[in-house]
Amino acid sequence: MKRFRRHGQESHRDRIKQELYGFNKTVEHGFPHQPSALVFSPSLQLLAIGTRSGAIKLYGAPGVEFMGLHDENAAVTQVHFLPQQVDLVTLLDDNSLHMWTLRAHHGVSELLETGRFTLTGPPGAPPSVTRVTAVLTHSSGDMLFLGTEGGHVFVVEVPGFRELEERNISLENVTNSLPEDYGGRRILEHVESLQENPVNPLQVLIGYGRGIMVIWDLERHSAVKHIPATQQLESVWWTEDGGHVLSSHSDGSYCRWMVAGEGTQSEPEKSEVPYGHFPCKAISKIIQLPTEQGPPFLFLSGGMPRASYGDRHCISVIHSKTHVALDFTSRIIDFFVIRDGPDHTGDPSALVVLVEEELVVIDLQTEGWPVIQTPYLVPLHCSAITCSHHVSAIPLKMWERVLSAGALQNTHYSKKPWPITGGQNLSPDAPQRDLLLTGHEDGTVRFWDASGVCLYPMYKLSTAGVFLTDAEPNDNMNQCTEGEWPPFRKVGCFDPYSDDPRLGVQKIHLCKYSGYLTVAGTAGQILVLELNDEAAEQTVEATVADLLQGQESFRWKGHTRLEVREEPVTFPPGFQPFALVQCQPPAVVTALTLHSEWKLVTFGTSHGFGLYDYQQKSNVLVRCTLNPSDQLAMEGPLSRVKSIKKSLRQSFRRIRRSRVSLRKHHVNSAAKVQEANARLEAELAEMELAPVQRKIEARSSDDSFTGLVRTLYFADTFLSDSSHHTPSLWAGTNGGSVFAYQLRLPPVERRSEDPVSAHPAKEIQLMHRAPVVGIVVLDGHGSPLPEPLEVAHDLARSADMQGCHQLLVISEEQFKVFTLPKVSAKMKLKLTAIDGSRVRRVGVAWFGSSRSEDYGESGLTVLTNQGDLHVVSLPGVKLQVQYPCIRREDVSGIASCVFTKHGQGFYLISPSEFERFSLSARCVVEPRSLVEVPSQTPGTTLPRAQPDGPSVAHRNSTRDTDDVAVLQEIQKSLEGYQPTFLENNVKSALAGGKVLTNGD
């Protein structure tokens, strides 16, 4: 009976788990790592980016996003949309072609790979014969023209990827069509470009690497015009009226050729080197677009003087008398131009440039050609990300104040709306307002709207203005010197260089109710800031916290502290610093917590921890946690010359100690064999119930960094006795120590005058000395204590102070619960002893039921060094679910993980991208979009038969065997039935005869 009852309880618990938990990687935020290809579909209004890792990403209106990944571990070199269709073709650097489509499923579009194809040449032919270098999607929508390294052009039918051999344009045919006097018919080299005549789809221009261009008539299957350029060809553009061809070349020149009529044009109408008489770099791409009134726009990529500006990444825009060289901070991948009008044939409206580290969009219709702010694909890594902090459910008032401060920083952006508008965003509105804060190497903190699919930039805070650095705050990179040539203009925000690495932000803590923010950095600086709607001029005074407390035996060998500006500094609206704590030694801040209700900030480094009263701007507590052997903690992160050698020595010492203990154990083990056998049977029963546990060796107190503070925690709980609860501070270290201090706060009316005091109350030393990574106090109901000011804003119930409180200490190896105030062990959950993994990240989350709005449970979200995610129940401390998430080799990804309060999380999958995941069945943020097939416009249908092609009968005889098999299957299923109109058609088709119509 008990067995059945237990089975029923387990089934009920399993159902609850399904309602609470579910793992999904939902969306990738940020800028794709190592982009390699770009394309735009005017009819779909979608942008597609391919990457060197084989990913293909599509973007439309904000929130419309799709992603696919090629099975092959190869870079995407080209992407092409099929005209007026929801299909696109990708070319990889392994020479394979892939067909993708946006297919609607349950009202939502999905990006699916539908086919793949690789050109095969004749037996014995070198690979260059079929190595694809240029792709043209014909306006008919059913053919691809593939130019190759060997100079041939292959024609492939799509979407089925069937080679149309009768349409292929061989190198021999082109060579034979050249005039006799053309350079002795020298080698043409590879096909560099393929362009369709905008006014005659039966003509295709083939541009060869050596420079010559040939206009090929697809109906006559012959060349109708030759353009004998003499310089190495880089790109070709056929003007909209079909009358001219523009070619750009490797010497920095471009030419304009008239292509009306037939024959050979010996000289171009115009030949120009835009940037001077000295040798220039190649113009890799050229585009010319007309305007309804006035001269055309000309866009050139590259072409800079090689000696003076060969390292610049520029796109030149020339229109009438305006000439600007847009100067980017990373390599240009590709660009395109968006045009006005329902048929996208109006004036140019926006220039979209993909560079290696960001996407930049230029408004071409506003004076000065300002940049349009991107709602997605924002370069998170403008400066390298050093830390992250997530805040859930931001109050509306604070949200609006942050937005307002951010809007004042964005006045240089264009007012035009985002020009890429494809697809429909079907994702529901975000249930709450969430912020993701990222700290950066240059001392900035960036605020991102993380409520929905798009990670949208809201506000940027810079801490560098408080300190004396080499930066020039008034330096405006967007201005070019009057009369400068080339006329450079800096664009883009990617700037990987930091003026001073000590500015790097390491820890952030924001109180969403009070508007207080604390930011800690690499050189031991802790800033306390307050949200202010007006600009203010003030001096920030530093309070020194001596964490060594006068210990003479330790000498700091690392970097020096940052010098604070003595004069008043004007801070713009937003978060403004008013207090500064400087740790001494100036080591990296490793832990930081803010309690805005008590007006206290606590901070920790590798030397100890401190408590600071930011209302009275004074230190309350300073505690040194250094072990006498912690000399490595004195070297600092910027000067670790001897650390590797010391680590190796310690490793060898551990090996020797283990060998010595092994010999001793071998000597004594013979005498203990009988005793062990006697206990074996008694232990078997327990071993069957408990999972197999490995022995965990206690860490030596001589290990380096045992004093490093890993976690800090404020709690109003019972420390001295079970009848009086008081404010307290808890600190956990790398050596498995937990320190608890009782805090005495003066009454509210005396808070500004009377000092806050801290008194040692408890100290815990974990047996295995495993690093303490988290501390949580549970109230009488077993719930985590609410956040500061959360109860005052009626957003959480008050903590239960009637029942017994419990202390949960999370180390790298286990979760251990102690009763308070006695601090006696109550229960524990081992992790390392079970599967060998160690806790790397932990957070407290609320998991709401996906079926009932009223039900939910608190739990710990845990990430291990194996990359696995766990959910541990509270207060029972039992493992609920486990999911693999991050590769164990991805150490930086594991270290960057940050959890939310509602069971989601973020981690860096590259320097510029966050992967968002969810452990909650209720809270899932993922793109839900629909892209519809554009209305078809009648295109030109090419003739099926060619003068020198095979006959219709021959093509029928080579009917695809798959189609025949399908027809045979249909015929077999119809056997035994009275012949019908459909059956007669099937039999006629199988016999190769005429297929009847209803009219017949």
Side-chain angles (χ1 to χ4, degrees):
M1 192 65 172
K2 290 182 179 179
R3 185 182 303 170
F4 289 116
R5 185 179 299 128
R6 182 179 176 184
H7 175 73
Q9 290 172 351
E10 289 179 353
S11 299
H12 176 66
R13 185 59 197 168
D14 290 340
R15 285 196 298 271
I16 292 178
K17 285 182 182 180
Q18 291 176 3
E19 296 175 13
L20 296 177
Y21 314 117
F23 176 67
N24 289 288
K25 291 184 179 181
T26 55
V27 65
E28 294 178 2
H29 297 298
F31 184 78
H33 186 49
Q34 296 181 326
S36 54
L38 172 73
V39 73
F40 178 69
S41 169
S43 60
L44 296 177
Q45 278 288 297
L46 290 180
L47 161 82
I49 294 176
T51 72
R52 280 158 60 179
S53 61
I56 176 76
K57 300 189 176 187
L58 275 61
Y59 301 90
V64 177
E65 299 183 12
F66 303 93
M67 179 188 167
L69 187 63
H70 295 86
D71 294 335
E72 295 78 3
N73 186 20
V76 180
T77 57
Q78 295 187 46
V79 186
H80 299 271
F81 279 100
L82 297 186
Q84 302 294 324
Q85 298 179 43
V86 290
D87 303 312
L88 66 156
V89 174
T90 56
L91 172 67
L92 307 188
D93 66 356
D94 64 359
N95 206 42
S96 62
L97 288 156
H98 301 255
M99 179 67 69
W100 297 81
T101 188
L102 287 168
R103 184 172 297 166
H105 181 67
H106 296 305
V108 178
S109 296
E110 299 175 342
L111 182 61
L112 302 173
E113 183 178 358
T114 58
R116 61 188 66 189
F117 172 76
T118 303
L119 273 178
T120 55
S128 61
V129 171
T130 55
R131 180 78 184 175
V132 178
T133 55
V135 178
L136 169 65
T137 55
H138 195 267
S139 60
S140 62
D142 58 5
M143 283 193 302
L144 292 179
F145 289 79
L146 308 176
T148 67
E149 195 175 287
H152 305 280
V153 178
F154 294 86
V155 184
V156 175
E157 184 180 62
V158 288
F161 280 135
R162 185 167 66 93
E163 184 182 342
L164 304 175
E165 295 183 7
E166 67 276 9
R167 294 188 180 280
N168 291 346
I169 306 169
S170 68
L171 180 62
E172 291 73 22
N173 289 346
V174 175
T175 305
N176 292 335
S177 70
L178 294 176
E180 292 288 338
D181 59 344
Y182 180 67
R185 298 183 181 179
R186 59 182 177 171
I187 298 174
L188 300 179
E189 292 190 357
H190 63 279
V191 177
E192 182 66 46
S193 180
L194 292 168
Q195 293 282 321
E196 181 182 334
N197 189 335
V199 297
N200 182 5
L202 295 175
Q203 289 186 352
V204 172
L205 184 144
I206 309 170
Y208 291 93
R210 188 59 70 88
I212 191 169
M213 291 166 278
V214 175
I215 296 179
W216 192 265
D217 190 292
L218 301 176
E219 188 173 22
R220 292 155 56 180
H221 207 66
S222 62
V224 295
K225 195 170 189 67
H226 303 89
I227 305 173
T230 55
Q231 289 294 331
Q232 188 82 18
L233 187 67
E234 293 290 328
S235 75
V236 176
W237 181 261
W238 207 324
T239 59
E240 199 170 83
D241 59 6
H244 294 84
V245 165
L246 277 69
S247 60
S248 66
H249 302 276
S250 60
D251 63 347
S253 68
Y254 73 91
C255 301
R256 178 184 174 93
W257 308 84
M258 181 180 288
V259 293
E262 298 187 359
T264 302
Q265 182 176 354
S266 57
E267 296 294 333
E269 272 190 1
K270 177 183 180 181
S271 180
E272 184 176 346
V273 181
Y275 291 108
H277 308 289
F278 296 104
C280 294
K281 297 194 74 175
I283 296 177
S284 58
K285 186 171 182 177
I286 184 169
I287 292 178
Q288 179 179 296
L289 293 173
T291 58
E292 290 186 6
Q293 299 176 347
F297 272 89
L298 183 64
F299 304 89
L300 307 169
S301 176
M304 289 292 117
R306 189 176 295 274
S308 306
Y309 305 107
D311 59 341
R312 300 286 187 104
H313 312 286
C314 295
I315 290 179
S316 300
V317 185
I318 304 169
H319 178 242
S320 187
K321 296 181 180 179
T322 306
H323 184 147
V324 174
L326 302 173
D327 188 7
F328 300 88
T329 57
S330 57
R331 185 173 61 90
I332 296 167
I333 304 299
D334 203 351
F335 69 92
F336 62 83
V337 180
I338 298 176
R339 304 174 68 178
D340 280 341
D343 55 353
H344 314 291
T345 57
D347 287 357
S349 61
L351 169 66
V352 182
V353 185
L354 176 68
V355 295
E356 204 163 36
E357 304 293 351
E358 60 185 317
L359 184 81
V360 181
V361 181
I362 308 293
D363 177 5
L364 298 174
Q365 296 184 338
T366 301
E367 186 178 359
W369 295 341
V371 173
I372 301 175
Q373 188 172 20
T374 55
Y376 46 73
L377 291 172
V378 183
L380 307 176
H381 63 315
C382 289
S383 173
I385 295 175
T386 49
C387 67
S388 304
H389 176 64
H390 187 274
V391 188
S392 300
I394 304 293
L396 178 60
K397 186 175 181 180
M398 181 181 176
W399 186 267
E400 291 174 341
R401 293 175 70 191
V402 173
L403 273 178
S404 177
L408 296 174
Q409 299 176 336
N410 297 333
T411 55
H412 61 286
Y413 284 115
S414 169
K415 306 302 181 190
K416 286 286 185 71
W418 182 243
I420 300 171
T421 58
Q424 303 173 44
N425 180 13
L426 304 179
S427 298
D429 293 336
Q432 60 190 24
R433 293 169 293 274
D434 290 352
L435 271 179
L436 179 67
L437 282 68
T438 53
H440 297 264
E441 192 179 48
D442 62 354
T444 58
V445 177
R446 296 171 194 263
F447 289 62
W448 307 89
D449 178 357
S451 312
V453 173
C454 293
L455 197 64
Y456 189 78
M458 294 177 63
Y459 166 74
K460 182 177 79 170
L461 163 69
S462 176
T463 62
V466 179
F467 306 100
L468 291 169
T469 64
D470 297 331
E472 298 179 22
N474 296 322
D475 181 24
N476 190 346
M477 296 179 64
N478 286 331
Q479 299 298 323
C480 59
T481 307
E482 187 70 27
E484 181 186 16
W485 188 259
F488 291 119
R489 175 186 152 200
K490 279 282 186 186
V491 287
C493 61
F494 176 72
D495 182 13
Y497 306 106
S498 173
D499 298 301
D500 193 328
R502 296 175 297 172
L503 289 169
V505 176
Q506 297 297 328
K507 296 291 176 181
I508 306 168
H509 195 116
L510 170 68
C511 175
K512 61 188 177 184
Y513 304 111
S514 63
Y516 284 108
L517 169 71
T518 179
V519 177
T522 301
Q525 71 272 25
I526 298 102
L527 279 168
V528 186
L529 307 96
E530 186 176 14
L531 185 57
N532 195 338
D533 299 328
E534 302 292 334
E537 185 179 61
Q538 57 196 35
T539 303
V540 182
E541 296 181 4
T543 301
V544 176
D546 182 10
L547 295 176
L548 293 182
Q549 296 180 302
Q551 295 192 36
E552 297 292 336
S553 59
F554 293 99
R555 295 194 179 278
W556 174 249
K557 303 175 186 177
H559 50 269
T560 58
R561 55 181 279 186
L562 285 161
E563 294 297 323
V564 182
R565 293 183 185 272
E566 296 180 357
E567 70 277 7
V569 179
T570 301
F571 297 103
F575 285 93
Q576 299 170 350
F578 66 90
L580 170 64
V581 183
Q582 178 60 60
C583 295
Q584 200 62 30
V588 173
V589 177
T590 57
L592 181 71
T593 300
L594 167 75
H595 200 297
S596 53
E597 194 170 357
W598 300 342
K599 302 292 192 296
L600 298 174
V601 169
T602 179
F603 51 89
T605 71
S606 54
H607 307 123
F609 60 92
L611 181 63
Y612 178 74
D613 179 353
Y614 63 79
Q615 183 169 357
Q616 297 186 22
K617 297 184 179 178
S618 62
N619 288 326
V620 177
L621 164 70
V622 175
R623 169 70 184 260
C624 179
T625 56
L626 272 176
N627 186 287
S629 65
D630 271 1
Q631 288 296 332
L632 190 59
M634 303 305 296
E635 295 186 6
L638 303 181
S639 61
R640 293 257 173 85
V641 181
K642 302 177 181 178
S643 60
I644 297 177
K645 292 182 179 179
K646 187 166 184 178
S647 298
L648 288 172
R649 282 198 300 271
Q650 290 171 345
S651 299
F652 283 121
R653 285 171 187 163
R654 287 195 200 98
I655 292 171
R656 290 193 198 103
R657 284 199 299 267
S658 63
R659 285 176 177 171
V660 170
S661 62
L662 188 64
R663 292 192 196 103
K664 291 179 181 178
H665 176 74
H666 180 70
V667 171
N668 298 327
S669 61
K672 298 179 181 179
V673 170
Q674 290 182 345
E675 182 183 351
N677 286 333
R679 291 194 307 239
L680 184 58
E681 290 187 11
E683 293 178 355
L684 277 175
E686 184 180 351
M687 289 176 64
E688 287 175 0
L689 295 174
V692 177
Q693 298 183 8
R694 62 190 74 194
K695 182 179 179 181
I696 304 300
E697 184 179 340
R699 306 186 190 199
S700 170
S701 60
D702 295 335
D703 286 355
S704 297
F705 290 113
T706 55
L708 186 146
V709 179
R710 293 286 293 269
T711 185
L712 293 161
Y713 182 74
F714 286 111
D716 187 358
T717 188
F718 301 93
L719 270 184
S720 56
D721 57 64
S722 57
S723 56
H724 299 91
H725 58 90
T726 58
S728 61
L729 168 65
W730 301 77
T733 71
N734 219 36
S737 298
V738 177
F739 304 97
Y741 280 77
Q742 184 175 337
L743 307 179
R744 290 181 181 171
L745 301 174
V748 176
E749 61 273 9
R750 301 286 302 169
R751 180 66 179 82
S752 301
E753 295 83 18
D754 295 349
V756 178
S757 61
H759 308 279
K762 306 287 182 183
E763 186 170 334
I764 305 170
Q765 178 62 60
L766 299 183
M767 185 174 64
H768 289 150
R769 301 183 181 275
V772 178
V773 295
I775 297 172
V776 179
V777 172
L778 307 176
D779 68 6
H781 291 306
S783 300
L785 298 184
E787 294 181 15
L789 296 174
E790 196 172 17
V791 176
H793 285 76
D794 296 325
L795 295 172
R797 69 180 184 183
S798 299
D800 178 50
M801 295 297 180
Q802 303 302 318
C804 294
H805 282 201
Q806 301 173 78
L807 172 69
L808 172 58
V809 177
I810 304 140
S811 74
E812 284 190 353
E813 297 178 356
Q814 64 181 10
F815 308 83
K816 197 164 187 177
V817 178
F818 300 87
T819 59
L820 289 175
K822 293 184 178 180
V823 193
S824 56
K826 181 180 181 181
M827 67 180 84
K828 62 184 174 183
L829 171 66
K830 295 182 179 180
L831 187 68
T832 307
I834 302 301
D835 60 8
S837 60
R838 300 183 185 275
V839 176
R840 284 289 179 261
R841 287 285 182 269
V842 65
V844 177
W846 172 258
F847 292 91
S849 170
S850 59
R851 294 188 179 181
S852 172
E853 289 289 333
D854 302 327
Y855 184 76
E857 295 181 4
S858 291
L860 293 177
T861 48
V862 179
L863 176 68
T864 71
N865 64 334
Q866 304 295 314
D868 294 335
L869 290 168
H870 301 258
V871 176
V872 176
S873 64
L874 292 176
V877 194
K878 294 183 178 179
L879 184 63
Q880 300 298 301
V881 288
Q882 176 180 349
Y883 305 102
C885 180
I886 310 175
R887 292 181 301 107
R888 69 176 69 183
E889 299 83 11
D890 187 3
V891 178
S892 60
I894 293 172
S896 67
C897 181
V898 57
F899 290 114
T900 78
K901 298 292 185 184
H902 294 87
Q904 298 186 68
F906 302 81
Y907 68 94
L908 288 171
I909 54 174
S910 75
S912 59
E913 293 171 288
F914 274 113
E915 176 85 73
R916 186 178 193 138
F917 63 85
S918 176
L919 286 163
S920 169
R922 180 192 290 182
C923 295
V924 180
V925 175
E926 59 184 348
R928 292 178 56 83
S929 313
L930 178 64
V931 176
E932 297 178 341
V933 181
S935 56
Q936 296 289 334
T937 57
T940 301
T941 303
L942 299 183
R944 299 300 298 174
Q946 300 295 334
D948 54 350
S951 65
V952 175
H954 172 71
R955 289 203 302 275
N956 282 341
S957 68
T958 59
R959 185 192 304 271
D960 193 298
T961 56
D962 290 341
D963 294 341
V964 175
V966 171
L967 290 170
Q968 288 174 341
E969 189 68 24
I970 294 172
Q971 185 188 34
K972 184 178 179 181
S973 66
L974 293 173
E975 288 178 359
Y977 291 88
Q978 188 67 27
T980 61
F981 172 79
L982 173 63
E983 286 187 56
N984 289 329
N985 261 339
V986 171
K987 292 176 181 177
S988 179
L990 286 170
K994 177 184 177 183
V995 177
L996 302 177
T997 64
N998 282 320
D1000 295 325

